[in-house]
Short mmCIF file of all heavy atoms in Angstrom, two decimals:
data_model
loop_
_atom_site.label_atom_id
_atom_site.label_comp_id
_atom_site.label_asym_id
_atom_site.label_seq_id
_atom_site.Cartn_x
_atom_site.Cartn_y
_atom_site.Cartn_z
N MET Z 1 0.85 -1.16 0.00
CA MET Z 1 0.00 0.00 0.00
C MET Z 1 0.90 1.23 0.00
O MET Z 1 1.86 1.32 0.75
CB MET Z 1 -0.89 0.01 1.24
CG MET Z 1 -1.69 1.27 1.39
SD MET Z 1 -2.76 1.30 2.84
CE MET Z 1 -3.86 -0.02 2.43
N TRP Z 2 0.59 2.19 -0.85
CA TRP Z 2 1.31 3.45 -0.92
C TRP Z 2 0.57 4.49 -0.10
O TRP Z 2 -0.65 4.62 -0.20
CB TRP Z 2 1.42 3.92 -2.37
CG TRP Z 2 2.42 3.12 -3.13
CD1 TRP Z 2 2.18 1.99 -3.86
CD2 TRP Z 2 3.81 3.36 -3.21
NE1 TRP Z 2 3.35 1.52 -4.38
CE2 TRP Z 2 4.36 2.34 -4.01
CE3 TRP Z 2 4.65 4.33 -2.68
CZ2 TRP Z 2 5.72 2.28 -4.29
CZ3 TRP Z 2 6.00 4.27 -2.97
CH2 TRP Z 2 6.52 3.25 -3.77
N LEU Z 3 1.31 5.21 0.73
CA LEU Z 3 0.72 6.23 1.58
C LEU Z 3 1.25 7.60 1.20
O LEU Z 3 2.44 7.76 0.93
CB LEU Z 3 1.07 5.96 3.04
CG LEU Z 3 0.65 4.60 3.58
CD1 LEU Z 3 1.16 4.42 4.99
CD2 LEU Z 3 -0.84 4.44 3.52
N LEU Z 4 0.36 8.56 1.18
CA LEU Z 4 0.76 9.95 1.01
C LEU Z 4 0.98 10.49 2.41
O LEU Z 4 0.07 10.49 3.24
CB LEU Z 4 -0.33 10.75 0.29
CG LEU Z 4 -0.01 12.22 0.03
CD1 LEU Z 4 1.21 12.36 -0.88
CD2 LEU Z 4 -1.21 12.91 -0.58
N VAL Z 5 2.22 10.90 2.69
CA VAL Z 5 2.63 11.25 4.05
C VAL Z 5 3.22 12.65 4.06
O VAL Z 5 3.98 13.02 3.15
CB VAL Z 5 3.69 10.24 4.56
CG1 VAL Z 5 4.18 10.60 5.94
CG2 VAL Z 5 3.15 8.83 4.53
N ILE Z 6 2.88 13.43 5.06
CA ILE Z 6 3.57 14.70 5.30
C ILE Z 6 4.48 14.48 6.49
O ILE Z 6 4.05 13.94 7.52
CB ILE Z 6 2.61 15.88 5.50
CG1 ILE Z 6 3.41 17.20 5.57
CG2 ILE Z 6 1.74 15.71 6.71
CD1 ILE Z 6 2.57 18.45 5.44
N VAL Z 7 5.74 14.84 6.32
CA VAL Z 7 6.75 14.66 7.36
C VAL Z 7 7.22 16.04 7.79
O VAL Z 7 7.72 16.81 6.97
CB VAL Z 7 7.94 13.83 6.84
CG1 VAL Z 7 8.99 13.66 7.92
CG2 VAL Z 7 7.47 12.48 6.31
N LEU Z 8 7.05 16.35 9.07
CA LEU Z 8 7.53 17.61 9.62
C LEU Z 8 8.96 17.40 10.08
O LEU Z 8 9.24 16.55 10.92
CB LEU Z 8 6.65 18.05 10.79
CG LEU Z 8 5.18 18.25 10.47
CD1 LEU Z 8 4.41 18.60 11.74
CD2 LEU Z 8 5.00 19.33 9.42
N LEU Z 9 9.88 18.15 9.51
CA LEU Z 9 11.29 17.98 9.84
C LEU Z 9 11.61 18.53 11.23
O LEU Z 9 12.55 18.07 11.88
CB LEU Z 9 12.15 18.64 8.78
CG LEU Z 9 11.90 18.12 7.36
CD1 LEU Z 9 12.74 18.88 6.35
CD2 LEU Z 9 12.15 16.63 7.27
N ALA Z 10 10.84 19.50 11.68
CA ALA Z 10 11.02 20.07 13.01
C ALA Z 10 9.66 20.16 13.68
O ALA Z 10 9.09 21.23 13.82
CB ALA Z 10 11.67 21.44 12.92
N ALA Z 11 9.12 19.01 14.05
CA ALA Z 11 7.78 18.95 14.62
C ALA Z 11 7.75 19.59 16.01
O ALA Z 11 8.62 19.32 16.84
CB ALA Z 11 7.30 17.51 14.71
N PRO Z 12 6.76 20.45 16.26
CA PRO Z 12 6.63 21.03 17.60
C PRO Z 12 6.24 19.96 18.62
O PRO Z 12 5.71 18.91 18.27
CB PRO Z 12 5.51 22.05 17.45
CG PRO Z 12 5.03 21.99 16.05
CD PRO Z 12 5.78 20.94 15.33
N SER Z 13 6.49 20.24 19.85
CA SER Z 13 6.15 19.32 20.93
C SER Z 13 4.66 18.99 20.90
O SER Z 13 3.83 19.88 20.76
CB SER Z 13 6.52 19.95 22.27
OG SER Z 13 6.17 19.09 23.31
N GLY Z 14 4.33 17.72 21.00
CA GLY Z 14 2.94 17.29 21.03
C GLY Z 14 2.33 17.04 19.67
O GLY Z 14 1.19 16.64 19.56
N VAL Z 15 3.10 17.28 18.60
CA VAL Z 15 2.60 17.08 17.24
C VAL Z 15 3.38 15.92 16.62
O VAL Z 15 4.61 15.86 16.71
CB VAL Z 15 2.79 18.36 16.38
CG1 VAL Z 15 2.39 18.11 14.94
CG2 VAL Z 15 1.98 19.50 16.98
N SER Z 16 2.66 15.01 15.98
CA SER Z 16 3.29 13.87 15.34
C SER Z 16 4.21 14.33 14.22
O SER Z 16 3.86 15.21 13.43
CB SER Z 16 2.22 12.92 14.79
OG SER Z 16 2.83 11.86 14.10
N ARG Z 17 5.37 13.74 14.13
CA ARG Z 17 6.34 14.09 13.09
C ARG Z 17 5.84 13.66 11.71
O ARG Z 17 6.17 14.26 10.70
CB ARG Z 17 7.67 13.41 13.40
CG ARG Z 17 8.78 13.74 12.46
CD ARG Z 17 10.07 13.06 12.92
NE ARG Z 17 11.16 13.30 12.02
CZ ARG Z 17 11.32 12.71 10.84
NH1 ARG Z 17 10.45 11.85 10.42
NH2 ARG Z 17 12.37 12.98 10.08
N GLU Z 18 5.02 12.62 11.67
CA GLU Z 18 4.54 12.05 10.40
C GLU Z 18 3.03 11.89 10.45
O GLU Z 18 2.50 11.37 11.42
CB GLU Z 18 5.22 10.70 10.18
CG GLU Z 18 4.85 10.02 8.90
CD GLU Z 18 5.58 8.70 8.76
OE1 GLU Z 18 6.76 8.71 8.39
OE2 GLU Z 18 4.95 7.67 9.05
N THR Z 19 2.37 12.34 9.40
CA THR Z 19 0.92 12.20 9.31
C THR Z 19 0.55 11.60 7.96
O THR Z 19 0.99 12.10 6.92
CB THR Z 19 0.22 13.58 9.46
OG1 THR Z 19 0.59 14.13 10.72
CG2 THR Z 19 -1.29 13.45 9.39
N VAL Z 20 -0.24 10.55 7.98
CA VAL Z 20 -0.71 9.92 6.75
C VAL Z 20 -1.91 10.72 6.24
O VAL Z 20 -2.89 10.90 6.96
CB VAL Z 20 -1.12 8.45 7.00
CG1 VAL Z 20 -1.69 7.82 5.73
CG2 VAL Z 20 0.08 7.64 7.50
N LEU Z 21 -1.80 11.21 5.00
CA LEU Z 21 -2.88 12.01 4.41
C LEU Z 21 -3.86 11.17 3.61
O LEU Z 21 -5.04 11.49 3.55
CB LEU Z 21 -2.28 13.09 3.50
CG LEU Z 21 -1.31 14.06 4.17
CD1 LEU Z 21 -0.72 15.00 3.13
CD2 LEU Z 21 -2.01 14.83 5.27
N ASN Z 22 -3.36 10.10 2.98
CA ASN Z 22 -4.22 9.26 2.15
C ASN Z 22 -3.49 7.96 1.83
O ASN Z 22 -2.29 7.86 2.04
CB ASN Z 22 -4.59 10.00 0.85
CG ASN Z 22 -5.94 9.61 0.33
OD1 ASN Z 22 -6.45 8.53 0.64
ND2 ASN Z 22 -6.55 10.47 -0.46
N ALA Z 23 -4.22 6.98 1.32
CA ALA Z 23 -3.64 5.69 0.93
C ALA Z 23 -4.01 5.39 -0.52
O ALA Z 23 -5.10 5.75 -0.98
CB ALA Z 23 -4.17 4.58 1.84
N PHE Z 24 -3.08 4.76 -1.25
CA PHE Z 24 -3.26 4.46 -2.66
C PHE Z 24 -2.79 3.04 -2.95
O PHE Z 24 -1.91 2.52 -2.27
CB PHE Z 24 -2.46 5.43 -3.52
CG PHE Z 24 -2.88 6.87 -3.35
CD1 PHE Z 24 -2.29 7.66 -2.38
CD2 PHE Z 24 -3.86 7.42 -4.14
CE1 PHE Z 24 -2.67 8.97 -2.20
CE2 PHE Z 24 -4.25 8.73 -3.98
CZ PHE Z 24 -3.66 9.51 -3.01
N GLN Z 25 -3.33 2.44 -3.97
CA GLN Z 25 -2.94 1.08 -4.36
C GLN Z 25 -1.61 1.07 -5.11
O GLN Z 25 -0.88 0.10 -5.04
CB GLN Z 25 -4.03 0.43 -5.22
CG GLN Z 25 -5.30 0.14 -4.46
CD GLN Z 25 -5.05 -0.81 -3.30
OE1 GLN Z 25 -4.37 -1.82 -3.45
NE2 GLN Z 25 -5.61 -0.48 -2.15
N THR Z 26 -1.30 2.14 -5.86
CA THR Z 26 -0.08 2.18 -6.66
C THR Z 26 0.65 3.50 -6.47
O THR Z 26 0.06 4.51 -6.09
CB THR Z 26 -0.39 2.02 -8.16
OG1 THR Z 26 -1.15 3.16 -8.59
CG2 THR Z 26 -1.17 0.74 -8.45
N TYR Z 27 1.94 3.47 -6.78
CA TYR Z 27 2.74 4.69 -6.74
C TYR Z 27 2.21 5.69 -7.77
O TYR Z 27 2.16 6.89 -7.51
CB TYR Z 27 4.20 4.35 -7.02
CG TYR Z 27 5.09 5.57 -7.08
CD1 TYR Z 27 5.51 6.19 -5.92
CD2 TYR Z 27 5.51 6.09 -8.30
CE1 TYR Z 27 6.31 7.31 -5.95
CE2 TYR Z 27 6.32 7.20 -8.35
CZ TYR Z 27 6.72 7.81 -7.17
OH TYR Z 27 7.52 8.93 -7.23
N GLU Z 28 1.83 5.17 -8.93
CA GLU Z 28 1.34 6.04 -10.01
C GLU Z 28 0.09 6.81 -9.61
O GLU Z 28 -0.13 7.93 -10.06
CB GLU Z 28 1.07 5.22 -11.27
CG GLU Z 28 2.32 4.71 -11.97
CD GLU Z 28 2.98 3.53 -11.26
OE1 GLU Z 28 2.31 2.86 -10.43
OE2 GLU Z 28 4.17 3.28 -11.53
N SER Z 29 -0.74 6.23 -8.75
CA SER Z 29 -1.94 6.95 -8.30
C SER Z 29 -1.62 7.91 -7.15
O SER Z 29 -2.32 8.90 -6.96
CB SER Z 29 -3.05 5.97 -7.91
OG SER Z 29 -2.64 5.13 -6.88
N CYS Z 30 -0.56 7.64 -6.42
CA CYS Z 30 -0.15 8.51 -5.31
C CYS Z 30 0.57 9.77 -5.81
O CYS Z 30 0.36 10.86 -5.28
CB CYS Z 30 0.76 7.74 -4.35
SG CYS Z 30 1.32 8.69 -2.92
N GLN Z 31 1.39 9.62 -6.82
CA GLN Z 31 2.27 10.70 -7.27
C GLN Z 31 1.53 11.99 -7.68
O GLN Z 31 1.95 13.07 -7.26
CB GLN Z 31 3.15 10.21 -8.43
CG GLN Z 31 4.28 11.13 -8.77
CD GLN Z 31 5.26 11.31 -7.61
OE1 GLN Z 31 5.43 10.44 -6.78
NE2 GLN Z 31 5.91 12.45 -7.57
N PRO Z 32 0.44 11.94 -8.45
CA PRO Z 32 -0.24 13.19 -8.79
C PRO Z 32 -0.78 13.93 -7.57
O PRO Z 32 -0.72 15.16 -7.50
CB PRO Z 32 -1.39 12.76 -9.70
CG PRO Z 32 -1.00 11.43 -10.23
CD PRO Z 32 -0.15 10.80 -9.16
N GLU Z 33 -1.26 13.19 -6.58
CA GLU Z 33 -1.76 13.83 -5.36
C GLU Z 33 -0.60 14.40 -4.54
O GLU Z 33 -0.71 15.48 -3.97
CB GLU Z 33 -2.57 12.82 -4.54
CG GLU Z 33 -3.28 13.42 -3.36
CD GLU Z 33 -4.40 14.39 -3.72
OE1 GLU Z 33 -4.69 14.60 -4.92
OE2 GLU Z 33 -4.98 14.97 -2.79
N ARG Z 34 0.54 13.71 -4.52
CA ARG Z 34 1.73 14.24 -3.85
C ARG Z 34 2.14 15.56 -4.49
O ARG Z 34 2.44 16.53 -3.81
CB ARG Z 34 2.89 13.24 -3.93
CG ARG Z 34 4.04 13.65 -3.01
CD ARG Z 34 5.40 13.57 -3.67
NE ARG Z 34 5.61 14.45 -4.77
CZ ARG Z 34 6.05 15.72 -4.67
NH1 ARG Z 34 6.26 16.27 -3.51
NH2 ARG Z 34 6.26 16.44 -5.74
N ASN Z 35 2.13 15.60 -5.81
CA ASN Z 35 2.50 16.83 -6.52
C ASN Z 35 1.52 17.95 -6.20
O ASN Z 35 1.93 19.08 -5.91
CB ASN Z 35 2.55 16.59 -8.02
CG ASN Z 35 3.69 15.69 -8.41
OD1 ASN Z 35 4.65 15.49 -7.67
ND2 ASN Z 35 3.59 15.11 -9.59
N ARG Z 36 0.24 17.66 -6.22
CA ARG Z 36 -0.78 18.68 -5.96
C ARG Z 36 -0.63 19.24 -4.54
O ARG Z 36 -0.56 20.45 -4.35
CB ARG Z 36 -2.18 18.10 -6.14
CG ARG Z 36 -3.28 19.14 -5.97
CD ARG Z 36 -4.66 18.49 -5.94
NE ARG Z 36 -4.89 17.72 -4.73
CZ ARG Z 36 -5.16 18.25 -3.52
NH1 ARG Z 36 -5.24 19.55 -3.37
NH2 ARG Z 36 -5.37 17.48 -2.48
N VAL Z 37 -0.53 18.35 -3.56
CA VAL Z 37 -0.41 18.80 -2.17
C VAL Z 37 0.91 19.55 -1.97
O VAL Z 37 0.94 20.61 -1.34
CB VAL Z 37 -0.52 17.61 -1.19
CG1 VAL Z 37 -0.16 18.02 0.23
CG2 VAL Z 37 -1.91 17.01 -1.24
N GLY Z 38 1.99 19.03 -2.53
CA GLY Z 38 3.28 19.68 -2.39
C GLY Z 38 3.29 21.08 -2.98
O GLY Z 38 3.80 22.02 -2.37
N PHE Z 39 2.71 21.24 -4.17
CA PHE Z 39 2.67 22.56 -4.82
C PHE Z 39 1.78 23.52 -4.04
O PHE Z 39 2.12 24.70 -3.88
CB PHE Z 39 2.20 22.45 -6.26
CG PHE Z 39 3.18 21.77 -7.18
CD1 PHE Z 39 2.74 20.84 -8.10
CD2 PHE Z 39 4.54 22.03 -7.10
CE1 PHE Z 39 3.65 20.20 -8.95
CE2 PHE Z 39 5.45 21.40 -7.93
CZ PHE Z 39 5.00 20.48 -8.87
N GLU Z 40 0.65 23.05 -3.55
CA GLU Z 40 -0.25 23.92 -2.78
C GLU Z 40 0.39 24.34 -1.46
O GLU Z 40 0.25 25.48 -1.03
CB GLU Z 40 -1.59 23.24 -2.55
CG GLU Z 40 -2.44 23.19 -3.79
CD GLU Z 40 -3.83 22.64 -3.56
OE1 GLU Z 40 -4.27 22.56 -2.40
OE2 GLU Z 40 -4.49 22.29 -4.56
N MET Z 41 1.10 23.41 -0.80
CA MET Z 41 1.79 23.76 0.44
C MET Z 41 2.89 24.79 0.17
O MET Z 41 3.05 25.76 0.91
CB MET Z 41 2.38 22.52 1.10
CG MET Z 41 1.36 21.56 1.66
SD MET Z 41 0.55 22.18 3.14
CE MET Z 41 1.89 22.08 4.32
N ALA Z 42 3.64 24.60 -0.91
CA ALA Z 42 4.72 25.53 -1.25
C ALA Z 42 4.15 26.92 -1.57
O ALA Z 42 4.75 27.94 -1.21
CB ALA Z 42 5.51 25.00 -2.44
N GLU Z 43 3.01 26.96 -2.22
CA GLU Z 43 2.37 28.23 -2.54
C GLU Z 43 1.81 28.90 -1.28
O GLU Z 43 1.93 30.11 -1.10
CB GLU Z 43 1.25 28.00 -3.55
CG GLU Z 43 0.60 29.28 -4.06
CD GLU Z 43 -0.44 28.99 -5.11
OE1 GLU Z 43 -0.07 28.50 -6.20
OE2 GLU Z 43 -1.63 29.24 -4.84
N SER Z 44 1.23 28.12 -0.41
CA SER Z 44 0.62 28.66 0.81
C SER Z 44 1.66 29.07 1.86
O SER Z 44 1.43 30.00 2.63
CB SER Z 44 -0.33 27.64 1.43
OG SER Z 44 -1.39 27.38 0.55
N TYR Z 45 2.77 28.36 1.89
CA TYR Z 45 3.82 28.61 2.89
C TYR Z 45 5.16 28.80 2.17
O TYR Z 45 6.06 27.96 2.28
CB TYR Z 45 3.90 27.45 3.89
CG TYR Z 45 2.59 27.18 4.57
CD1 TYR Z 45 1.73 26.18 4.13
CD2 TYR Z 45 2.20 27.95 5.67
CE1 TYR Z 45 0.52 25.95 4.76
CE2 TYR Z 45 0.99 27.72 6.30
CZ TYR Z 45 0.16 26.71 5.84
OH TYR Z 45 -1.04 26.48 6.47
N PRO Z 46 5.33 29.90 1.43
CA PRO Z 46 6.52 30.06 0.58
C PRO Z 46 7.84 30.13 1.35
O PRO Z 46 8.88 29.80 0.80
CB PRO Z 46 6.25 31.36 -0.16
CG PRO Z 46 5.26 32.09 0.66
CD PRO Z 46 4.44 31.04 1.36
N TYR Z 47 7.82 30.54 2.60
CA TYR Z 47 9.06 30.68 3.35
C TYR Z 47 9.27 29.56 4.35
O TYR Z 47 10.18 29.62 5.17
CB TYR Z 47 9.09 32.04 4.05
CG TYR Z 47 8.95 33.17 3.07
CD1 TYR Z 47 7.76 33.89 2.99
CD2 TYR Z 47 9.97 33.47 2.17
CE1 TYR Z 47 7.62 34.91 2.05
CE2 TYR Z 47 9.83 34.48 1.24
CZ TYR Z 47 8.65 35.20 1.18
OH TYR Z 47 8.51 36.18 0.25
N GLU Z 48 8.44 28.54 4.27
CA GLU Z 48 8.55 27.39 5.17
C GLU Z 48 8.96 26.18 4.33
O GLU Z 48 8.28 25.82 3.38
CB GLU Z 48 7.19 27.09 5.82
CG GLU Z 48 6.57 28.26 6.48
CD GLU Z 48 6.65 28.19 7.99
OE1 GLU Z 48 6.94 27.11 8.50
OE2 GLU Z 48 6.41 29.21 8.61
N ASN Z 49 10.06 25.60 4.66
CA ASN Z 49 10.47 24.38 3.97
C ASN Z 49 10.94 23.34 4.99
O ASN Z 49 11.92 22.66 4.78
CB ASN Z 49 11.53 24.66 2.92
CG ASN Z 49 12.71 25.43 3.46
OD1 ASN Z 49 12.69 25.87 4.59
ND2 ASN Z 49 13.74 25.60 2.65
N ASP Z 50 10.17 23.25 6.09
CA ASP Z 50 10.50 22.30 7.13
C ASP Z 50 9.57 21.10 7.11
O ASP Z 50 9.30 20.48 8.12
CB ASP Z 50 10.50 22.96 8.51
CG ASP Z 50 9.16 23.58 8.86
OD1 ASP Z 50 8.30 23.69 7.96
OD2 ASP Z 50 8.96 23.95 10.03
N PHE Z 51 9.05 20.77 5.91
CA PHE Z 51 8.18 19.61 5.74
C PHE Z 51 8.45 18.98 4.39
O PHE Z 51 8.99 19.62 3.48
CB PHE Z 51 6.70 20.02 5.85
CG PHE Z 51 6.27 20.97 4.77
CD1 PHE Z 51 5.79 20.49 3.56
CD2 PHE Z 51 6.35 22.33 4.95
CE1 PHE Z 51 5.42 21.37 2.55
CE2 PHE Z 51 5.97 23.22 3.96
CZ PHE Z 51 5.50 22.73 2.76
N ARG Z 52 8.08 17.73 4.28
CA ARG Z 52 8.15 17.01 3.01
C ARG Z 52 6.84 16.28 2.82
O ARG Z 52 6.26 15.75 3.77
CB ARG Z 52 9.29 15.98 3.01
CG ARG Z 52 10.67 16.57 3.16
CD ARG Z 52 11.08 17.34 1.91
NE ARG Z 52 12.40 17.92 2.07
CZ ARG Z 52 12.61 19.20 2.37
NH1 ARG Z 52 11.62 20.01 2.54
NH2 ARG Z 52 13.83 19.66 2.49
N VAL Z 53 6.35 16.24 1.59
CA VAL Z 53 5.18 15.46 1.23
C VAL Z 53 5.68 14.35 0.32
O VAL Z 53 6.26 14.63 -0.73
CB VAL Z 53 4.11 16.33 0.53
CG1 VAL Z 53 2.90 15.50 0.17
CG2 VAL Z 53 3.72 17.52 1.40
N VAL Z 54 5.49 13.09 0.74
CA VAL Z 54 6.09 11.97 0.02
C VAL Z 54 5.09 10.82 -0.15
O VAL Z 54 4.15 10.68 0.64
CB VAL Z 54 7.34 11.44 0.75
CG1 VAL Z 54 8.42 12.49 0.81
CG2 VAL Z 54 7.01 10.96 2.14
N CYS Z 55 5.32 10.02 -1.17
CA CYS Z 55 4.62 8.75 -1.33
C CYS Z 55 5.55 7.69 -0.74
O CYS Z 55 6.71 7.60 -1.12
CB CYS Z 55 4.36 8.45 -2.80
SG CYS Z 55 3.16 9.54 -3.56
N GLU Z 56 5.04 6.94 0.20
CA GLU Z 56 5.85 5.96 0.92
C GLU Z 56 5.16 4.60 0.88
O GLU Z 56 3.96 4.51 1.13
CB GLU Z 56 6.00 6.44 2.36
CG GLU Z 56 6.81 5.57 3.24
CD GLU Z 56 6.92 6.17 4.63
OE1 GLU Z 56 7.49 7.26 4.77
OE2 GLU Z 56 6.42 5.52 5.56
N TYR Z 57 5.92 3.56 0.57
CA TYR Z 57 5.35 2.21 0.51
C TYR Z 57 5.46 1.53 1.86
O TYR Z 57 6.50 1.56 2.51
CB TYR Z 57 6.08 1.37 -0.54
CG TYR Z 57 5.49 -0.01 -0.67
CD1 TYR Z 57 4.32 -0.21 -1.36
CD2 TYR Z 57 6.11 -1.10 -0.07
CE1 TYR Z 57 3.75 -1.47 -1.47
CE2 TYR Z 57 5.55 -2.36 -0.17
CZ TYR Z 57 4.38 -2.54 -0.86
OH TYR Z 57 3.83 -3.79 -0.96
N ARG Z 58 4.35 0.90 2.28
CA ARG Z 58 4.34 0.09 3.50
C ARG Z 58 3.60 -1.20 3.19
O ARG Z 58 2.47 -1.16 2.73
CB ARG Z 58 3.67 0.82 4.65
CG ARG Z 58 4.43 2.02 5.12
CD ARG Z 58 3.85 2.60 6.36
NE ARG Z 58 4.48 3.87 6.68
CZ ARG Z 58 4.00 4.72 7.55
NH1 ARG Z 58 2.89 4.47 8.20
NH2 ARG Z 58 4.62 5.85 7.77
N GLU Z 59 4.25 -2.34 3.49
CA GLU Z 59 3.61 -3.63 3.22
C GLU Z 59 2.43 -3.88 4.14
O GLU Z 59 1.40 -4.35 3.71
CB GLU Z 59 4.63 -4.76 3.38
CG GLU Z 59 5.44 -4.97 2.14
CD GLU Z 59 6.25 -6.24 2.22
OE1 GLU Z 59 5.71 -7.27 2.66
OE2 GLU Z 59 7.42 -6.18 1.83
N ASN Z 60 2.60 -3.56 5.40
CA ASN Z 60 1.54 -3.79 6.38
C ASN Z 60 0.61 -2.59 6.42
O ASN Z 60 0.90 -1.54 5.85
CB ASN Z 60 2.14 -4.05 7.75
CG ASN Z 60 3.00 -5.30 7.74
OD1 ASN Z 60 2.71 -6.24 7.04
ND2 ASN Z 60 4.06 -5.29 8.51
N HIS Z 61 -0.45 -2.74 7.15
CA HIS Z 61 -1.37 -1.62 7.30
C HIS Z 61 -0.66 -0.46 7.97
O HIS Z 61 0.20 -0.66 8.81
CB HIS Z 61 -2.59 -2.03 8.13
CG HIS Z 61 -3.41 -3.08 7.48
ND1 HIS Z 61 -4.23 -2.80 6.41
CD2 HIS Z 61 -3.52 -4.40 7.71
CE1 HIS Z 61 -4.82 -3.92 6.03
NE2 HIS Z 61 -4.41 -4.90 6.80
N PRO Z 62 -1.00 0.77 7.59
CA PRO Z 62 -0.33 1.91 8.21
C PRO Z 62 -0.63 1.99 9.70
O PRO Z 62 -1.70 1.62 10.15
CB PRO Z 62 -0.94 3.11 7.47
CG PRO Z 62 -2.22 2.63 6.91
CD PRO Z 62 -2.05 1.15 6.66
N SER Z 63 0.34 2.47 10.45
CA SER Z 63 0.15 2.61 11.89
C SER Z 63 -0.84 3.73 12.19
O SER Z 63 -1.46 3.76 13.23
CB SER Z 63 1.48 2.88 12.58
OG SER Z 63 2.06 4.05 12.05
N GLN Z 64 -0.96 4.64 11.25
CA GLN Z 64 -1.89 5.75 11.40
C GLN Z 64 -2.77 5.78 10.16
O GLN Z 64 -2.29 5.91 9.06
CB GLN Z 64 -1.11 7.05 11.54
CG GLN Z 64 -1.99 8.25 11.77
CD GLN Z 64 -1.14 9.51 11.90
OE1 GLN Z 64 0.06 9.49 11.69
NE2 GLN Z 64 -1.79 10.59 12.21
N GLN Z 65 -4.06 5.63 10.35
CA GLN Z 65 -4.98 5.63 9.22
C GLN Z 65 -5.10 7.03 8.63
O GLN Z 65 -5.05 8.01 9.36
CB GLN Z 65 -6.37 5.14 9.66
CG GLN Z 65 -6.39 3.68 10.02
CD GLN Z 65 -6.06 2.79 8.84
OE1 GLN Z 65 -6.50 3.04 7.72
NE2 GLN Z 65 -5.27 1.76 9.06
N PRO Z 66 -5.25 7.13 7.31
CA PRO Z 66 -5.40 8.44 6.70
C PRO Z 66 -6.67 9.13 7.15
O PRO Z 66 -7.67 8.48 7.42
CB PRO Z 66 -5.45 8.14 5.20
CG PRO Z 66 -5.60 6.69 5.06
CD PRO Z 66 -5.27 6.04 6.37
N THR Z 67 -6.60 10.43 7.24
CA THR Z 67 -7.77 11.24 7.55
C THR Z 67 -8.36 11.70 6.23
O THR Z 67 -7.71 12.42 5.49
CB THR Z 67 -7.36 12.47 8.39
OG1 THR Z 67 -6.71 12.00 9.56
CG2 THR Z 67 -8.57 13.30 8.75
N ARG Z 68 -9.54 11.27 5.94
CA ARG Z 68 -10.17 11.66 4.67
C ARG Z 68 -11.03 12.89 4.89
O ARG Z 68 -11.86 12.93 5.78
CB ARG Z 68 -10.98 10.51 4.12
CG ARG Z 68 -10.12 9.29 3.85
CD ARG Z 68 -10.84 8.30 2.98
NE ARG Z 68 -10.05 7.10 2.89
CZ ARG Z 68 -9.27 6.81 1.86
NH1 ARG Z 68 -9.17 7.63 0.87
NH2 ARG Z 68 -8.59 5.69 1.83
N VAL Z 69 -10.80 13.87 4.06
CA VAL Z 69 -11.55 15.12 4.14
C VAL Z 69 -12.20 15.36 2.80
O VAL Z 69 -11.54 15.30 1.75
CB VAL Z 69 -10.60 16.29 4.50
CG1 VAL Z 69 -11.37 17.59 4.52
CG2 VAL Z 69 -9.92 16.03 5.81
N ASP Z 70 -13.49 15.64 2.81
CA ASP Z 70 -14.20 15.94 1.60
C ASP Z 70 -13.87 17.37 1.18
O ASP Z 70 -14.19 18.30 1.92
CB ASP Z 70 -15.71 15.78 1.82
CG ASP Z 70 -16.52 16.01 0.57
OD1 ASP Z 70 -15.93 16.23 -0.50
OD2 ASP Z 70 -17.77 15.97 0.67
N PRO Z 71 -13.21 17.57 0.01
CA PRO Z 71 -12.83 18.92 -0.39
C PRO Z 71 -14.00 19.89 -0.51
O PRO Z 71 -13.85 21.07 -0.33
CB PRO Z 71 -12.17 18.72 -1.76
CG PRO Z 71 -11.88 17.27 -1.87
CD PRO Z 71 -12.81 16.55 -0.94
N GLU Z 72 -15.18 19.37 -0.79
CA GLU Z 72 -16.35 20.24 -0.93
C GLU Z 72 -16.80 20.82 0.40
O GLU Z 72 -17.43 21.86 0.43
CB GLU Z 72 -17.48 19.48 -1.61
CG GLU Z 72 -17.18 19.15 -3.06
CD GLU Z 72 -18.32 18.40 -3.72
OE1 GLU Z 72 -19.40 18.29 -3.13
OE2 GLU Z 72 -18.10 17.93 -4.85
N THR Z 73 -16.48 20.13 1.50
CA THR Z 73 -16.90 20.64 2.81
C THR Z 73 -15.86 21.60 3.39
O THR Z 73 -16.13 22.28 4.35
CB THR Z 73 -17.14 19.50 3.81
OG1 THR Z 73 -15.93 18.78 3.98
CG2 THR Z 73 -18.27 18.61 3.35
N GLN Z 74 -14.67 21.63 2.77
CA GLN Z 74 -13.65 22.57 3.21
C GLN Z 74 -13.86 23.89 2.49
O GLN Z 74 -14.10 23.92 1.30
CB GLN Z 74 -12.26 22.07 2.87
CG GLN Z 74 -11.74 21.03 3.77
CD GLN Z 74 -10.32 20.69 3.40
OE1 GLN Z 74 -9.99 20.60 2.24
NE2 GLN Z 74 -9.48 20.48 4.39
N ALA Z 75 -13.81 24.97 3.20
CA ALA Z 75 -13.91 26.27 2.54
C ALA Z 75 -13.47 27.37 3.47
O ALA Z 75 -13.46 27.30 4.62
CB ALA Z 75 -15.31 26.52 2.07
#
């Protein structure tokens, strides 16, 4: 299973260093979402580069389940 993960390089106290954003069956399906999230984060936080958005493969179930958010309910 491929996971879309945001990794905080300098996580504040009490905040998880790694957060699973979504899960995908293939790397090819994860990569476009990684690019979209990465570009939006870079645009929103142009002077912050203390995070990485990556597609990461894990054979077993993720230790942290992805949080699914409906984009239509966000505004």
